[in-house]
Amino acid sequence: MIEVKDLHKSFGDAHILKGITTSFDKGKTNLIIGQSGSGKTVFLKCLLGLFEYEAGTISYDGKIFSNLSESEKRDLRAEIGMVFQGSALFDSMTIAENVMFPLQMFTKMSKSEMEDRADFVLKRVNLPEAHNKMPSEASGGMQKRVAIARAIVNNPKYLFCDEPNSGLDPKTAIVIDNLIQEITDEYQITTVINSHDMNSVMEIGEKIVFLKNGLKAWEGSNKTIFKTDNASVTDFVYSSNLFKKVRKMYIEENE
Amino acid sequence: MTYLHNIGAYFLMIAEMFRKPTKWSVMRQLILKDIDDLIIGSLGIIAFISFFVGGVITIQTALNIDNPLIPKYLVGFATRQSVILEFAPTFTSIIMAGKVGSFITSSIGTMRVTEQIDALEVMGINSLNYLVFPKTIALMLYPFAIAVGMFLGILGGMAACVFGGYSTLADYILGIQTDFDSFHVIYAFIKTFVFAFVLATIPSFYGYYMRGGALEVGKASTTAFVWTSVVIILLNYVITGMLLG
Ligand SMILES: Nc1ncnc2c1ncn2[C@@H]1O[C@H](COP(=O)(O)OP(=O)(O)O)[C@@H](O)[C@H]1O
Ligand SMILES: [Mg+2]
């Protein structure tokens, strides 16, 4: 479980996060949603320790990140997996090398142990045959799978995904969402996912935090998001044309 | 103000580059790869340019000496001096600022915009050490490339001289041995070491701290080329003043 208390983050004069308090549960897919530019990526990068923040605390299963020593931070980092928005695969390495990279960095595994583990996770993300391809030869969906494989290869306790299905076709997007949810459940990971995609919200929104103007405007789940009368949330939910049309049809049908 | 800020940030980057070193087994691979990309990959162009510019220097010198009182061996002497003192170390480095420099800026810049640098940082890797340090070490072999350039420049001069009929082979060889001062070679290699460090770190700086997308990567490469060249030219002036002045 990850707990965030009163998190503030600015870039120069721009106050991006204005005091966010929330928590993310273990074994669940926790979604951070909000319009583009609402600070989701900044929030995630604070959680990851990539950005320094002015105020607030973030704790990982009770351990407050900013109180940790350098070596404790290092140990914690070894338990974190991250899937970046554009996959962020190392383009000078093959797919298998990408997946083995965290093992090479964090563990004392032998080459063959690393290869076995990479085989295993690549199979888990349904890419049993792609080992020797370069990332540039892989499709967007494949790259995402590799990024997920790389993120989970070292058995992380925490998994972060920044818009994991942006740039993917709707079908692949759902497959990726479901893959993340299955893995989260299977290994009881605390997973935090940034999204502005209503499909993801419905599919895997076990817990949802809605950001607006640097503040948490609402919190709930895919079970409650359609029932709320919070104007910002309904605005966001029905900003999708599809949802608008479905809703209109629904209203017309019921008249 | 931004100049001062950049200069400060540049020196902080250099200090940071030595902190929290990457595992040696990984670092060794990175260094070998960078030697291949930056040094071996540049030998062809350095050889090509040196040979032909050496030839041109010889032809120009020969054509400008029309006074019969000036001995013919001076052509070889002048070629040797220009190639060793300026052409091979400085001129070639400016060209390398374009070739090696823009390669470094665009490869690190692309890693920045595609979040590969963030991916390294998330894993607790010191990305400056991981990316910039091996390039700096690889470029410590740059003086060898320049030595090849010096040799080929003088050889190109010889070819132009003999085949163009400007003087005899014996005169040219006499010329390149006349008044040889080994300190000139030391001076040239001191310059080259300094330029190598500049060639590795300034383009890295512009790549590492860039923000934006593909367009900005291109702009950062151009800016890096300009500043690398300017710094090389200025340092050339300072080092020459200190060592030969
Ligand atoms: N490194 C940075 N420096 C300055 N401003 C930034 C930086 N990263 C993000 N921002 C700003 O923070 C705001 C939120 O951005 P972001 O978190 O990327 O939004 P989202 O991911 O929700 O689309 C934007 O206004 C953006 O310009
Ligand atoms: Mg974002």
Side-chain angles (χ1 to χ4, degrees):
Chain A
M1 173 149 130
I2 300 174
E3 285 166 291
V4 182
K5 282 207 189 86
D6 199 28
L7 185 73
H8 287 263
K9 167 71 189 165
S10 309
F11 292 106
D13 293 337
H15 203 173
I16 308 291
L17 304 179
K18 300 170 187 162
I20 295 181
T21 301
T22 188
S23 64
F24 303 108
D25 303 333
K26 185 176 167 183
K28 272 194 191 171
T29 42
N30 302 276
L31 259 57
I32 302 169
I33 63 170
Q35 234 89 50
S36 255
S38 57
K40 302 184 295 293
T41 300
V42 172
F43 185 39
L44 209 61
K45 288 188 175 174
C46 288
L47 293 180
L48 284 161
L50 283 178
F51 283 158
E52 310 234 332
Y53 35 92
E54 296 89 57
T57 56
I58 300 174
S59 61
Y60 295 80
D61 292 309
K63 287 176 279 185
I64 296 177
F65 187 79
S66 51
N67 292 352
L68 299 180
S69 70
E70 276 301 315
S71 75
E72 287 170 324
K73 277 183 186 164
R74 209 183 149 76
D75 293 345
L76 179 64
R77 284 225 162 87
E79 299 182 325
I80 290 178
M82 168 79 189
V83 177
F84 286 89
Q85 187 159 359
S87 298
L89 301 178
F90 301 117
D91 40 31
S92 57
M93 301 178 194
T94 64
I95 282 175
E97 285 167 348
N98 262 285
V99 174
M100 287 188 283
F101 187 79
L103 301 178
Q104 215 178 351
M105 284 296 170
F106 288 126
T107 70
K108 294 196 165 64
M109 281 187 188
S110 70
K111 186 123 203 298
S112 69
E113 285 172 316
M114 288 195 250
E115 279 165 355
D116 288 348
R117 179 70 189 153
D119 275 348
F120 176 80
V121 286
L122 280 170
K123 280 208 189 86
R124 183 64 193 82
V125 299
N126 300 320
L127 278 181
E129 316 259 274
H131 294 56
N132 296 319
K133 282 198 173 145
M134 298 306 282
S136 57
E137 297 168 321
S139 67
M142 273 170 85
Q143 291 184 5
K144 269 300 144 58
R145 289 168 198 267
V146 179
I148 294 171
R150 183 177 71 182
I152 62 168
V153 72
N154 202 19
N155 281 320
K157 276 166 114 170
Y158 314 97
L159 177 64
F160 298 92
C161 310
D162 195 3
E163 314 240 0
N165 50 25
S166 72
L168 301 180
D169 62 87
K171 241 184 174 159
T172 314
I174 291 173
V175 173
I176 295 289
D177 278 346
N178 289 335
L179 178 63
I180 293 171
Q181 189 174 36
E182 283 164 29
I183 288 170
T184 300
D185 184 54
E186 202 173 314
Y187 303 106
Q188 286 297 300
I189 304 173
T190 305
T191 299
V192 182
I193 303 167
N194 271 357
S195 180
H196 62 239
D197 179 14
M198 277 311 294
N199 278 320
S200 304
V201 169
M202 312 236 328
E203 283 287 321
I204 58 168
E206 295 177 286
K207 162 147 191 180
I208 298 172
V209 174
F210 179 79
L211 292 192
K212 189 174 182 187
N213 298 329
L215 288 167
K216 181 178 85 181
W218 181 82
E219 193 171 79
S221 74
N222 54 4
K223 307 238 162 52
T224 56
I225 194 163
F226 293 99
K227 293 179 192 142
T228 177
D229 46 15
N230 182 314
S232 316
V233 177
T234 50
D235 230 35
F236 177 82
V237 170
Y238 296 109
S239 65
S240 147
N241 248 334
L242 178 67
F243 274 93
K244 248 184 234 156
K245 281 178 188 156
V246 171
R247 190 188 201 195
K248 200 164 140 237
M249 275 162 54
Y250 177 81
I251 293 168
E252 278 166 6
E253 256 171 43
N254 285 293
E255 267 167 7
Chain B
M1 193 54 217
T2 57
Y3 290 137
L4 279 181
H5 173 264
N6 277 353
I7 292 170
Y10 171 76
F11 284 107
L12 286 177
M13 175 192 92
I14 305 236
E16 183 65 25
M17 175 173 108
F18 293 99
R19 278 191 56 236
K20 243 190 4 176
T22 309
K23 263 188 181 177
W24 173 242
S25 59
V26 176
M27 182 53 77
R28 195 185 54 213
Q29 299 292 322
L30 294 172
I31 293 174
L32 290 177
K33 185 171 182 308
D34 282 330
I35 289 176
D36 196 34
D37 284 344
L38 304 176
I39 303 291
I40 312 282
S42 301
L43 283 178
I45 182 90
I46 291 180
F48 176 80
I49 296 176
S50 303
F51 189 82
F52 284 99
V53 173
V56 170
I57 292 173
T58 299
I59 297 173
Q60 300 277 19
T61 316
L63 291 178
N64 282 299
I65 302 177
D66 43 12
N67 186 335
L69 290 179
I70 297 178
K72 281 290 181 206
Y73 69 78
L74 212 74
V75 177
F77 175 78
T79 304
R80 184 198 75 204
Q81 291 299 84
S82 329
V83 167
I84 289 183
L85 292 177
E86 279 317 311
F87 172 73
T90 314
F91 195 84
T92 311
S93 297
I94 302 289
I95 291 165
M96 287 301 109
K99 187 188 181 288
V100 170
S102 62
F103 173 77
I104 292 177
T105 308
S106 59
S107 60
I108 296 184
T110 304
M111 291 187 72
R112 168 63 76 196
V113 302
T114 57
E115 297 181 300
Q116 292 175 53
I117 292 182
D118 288 327
L120 290 170
E121 290 285 326
V122 168
M123 297 179 204
I125 294 163
N126 176 359
S127 56
L128 278 170
N129 178 266
Y130 184 88
L131 294 171
V132 185
F133 185 75
K135 293 182 172 51
T136 312
I137 297 301
L139 275 168
M140 291 299 115
L141 291 179
Y142 178 63
F144 289 100
I146 292 304
V148 172
M150 287 177 180
F151 176 75
L152 287 172
I154 293 171
L155 199 70
M158 188 165 83
C161 195
V162 175
F163 295 118
Y166 297 104
S167 81
T168 63
L169 181 60
D171 274 341
Y172 187 85
I173 289 180
L174 177 64
I176 59 178
Q177 292 172 317
T178 301
D179 289 337
F180 180 73
D181 183 350
S182 57
F183 183 69
H184 286 172
V185 178
I186 296 174
Y187 151 82
F189 281 114
I190 291 175
K191 287 210 289 199
T192 314
F193 263 112
V194 175
F195 296 164
F197 190 77
V198 170
L199 276 176
T201 50
I202 293 187
S204 296
F205 175 79
Y206 280 98
Y208 190 85
Y209 290 106
M210 65 155 299
R211 224 183 285 142
L215 186 67
E216 283 77 12
V217 174
K219 282 188 194 151
S221 300
T222 314
T223 316
F225 170 68
V226 170
W227 282 110
T228 309
S229 320
V230 167
V231 170
I232 286 176
I233 301 279
L234 286 178
L235 284 174
N236 187 36
Y237 184 84
V238 172
I239 295 173
T240 307
M242 271 169 27
L243 296 182
L244 297 184

